[in-house]
Amino acid sequence: PDASAFNALMALYLKLGKPKEALSLFDLITSMHESGRSDTQPDSYSVNLMLKAMTKNYTVHLLEDMEVIEEVLKNTAQPDKQSYNIVIDAWGKSNLREAAIRAEMLLDC
C-alpha cells in the first residue's frame, strides 16, 4: 500500500473517534518511508490527519504535544495552510490562558 491508502485508513480511524490508531498509522508510514519505501512518504494530507489526531483532545495533552506538533510543522514534508489552521483551532478550543500567545507563535515557525 502507498501513502494514499494509509491516508484513507487514518481518515477512517479519525471518523470512528480513534485518534491513537491514526497516529500509529502515521508512525508506520513514516518509518516505512525512512526505511526506503518511497511510495509511503507522508504528504500534506497525511500531516494534516496526524495533526487532527494529535489535537483531538484539546486540553489533556495539548501542552505536551505542542512541542512535537511545532517540530512537525517545521520539519515534516509539506505543511500547508490547513496544517496551521488545525493547530490554531486546537489552541482556541483548549481554553488555556496561553493559547492565543502560543497560537500566534506558530505563525513565526
Side-chain angles (χ1 to χ4, degrees), residues 2-52:
D2 62 5
S4 64
F6 282 102
N7 288 347
L9 272 173
M10 285 190 291
L12 177 60
Y13 276 129
L14 286 173
K15 186 175 182 178
L16 295 173
K18 298 183 175 190
K20 289 181 183 178
E21 287 81 353
L23 287 172
S24 293
L25 282 176
F26 184 82
D27 291 341
L28 176 62
I29 65 169
T30 301
S31 66
M32 289 172 72
H33 176 69
E34 289 171 355
S35 68
R37 294 254 333 252
S38 62
D39 59 339
T40 60
Q41 179 176 5
D43 57 15
S44 60
Y45 186 56
S46 309
V47 171
N48 291 339
L49 289 168
M50 182 271 303
L51 291 171
K52 286 178 185 179

Side-chain angles (χ1 to χ4, degrees), residues 42-89:
D43 57 15
S44 60
Y45 186 56
S46 309
V47 171
N48 291 339
L49 289 168
M50 182 271 303
L51 291 171
K52 286 178 185 179
M54 288 187 80
T55 59
K56 199 70 171 164
N57 186 346
Y58 299 111
T59 55
V60 176
H61 300 289
L62 188 59
L63 286 172
E64 296 86 7
D65 289 345
M66 281 312 291
E67 290 181 17
V68 174
I69 290 169
E70 288 168 3
E71 284 300 311
V72 166
L73 292 176
K74 289 179 189 174
N75 301 319
T76 301
Q78 306 169 18
D80 58 13
K81 286 186 260 185
Q82 185 178 3
S83 307
Y84 289 94
N85 288 336
I86 291 165
V87 178
I88 290 169
D89 182 60

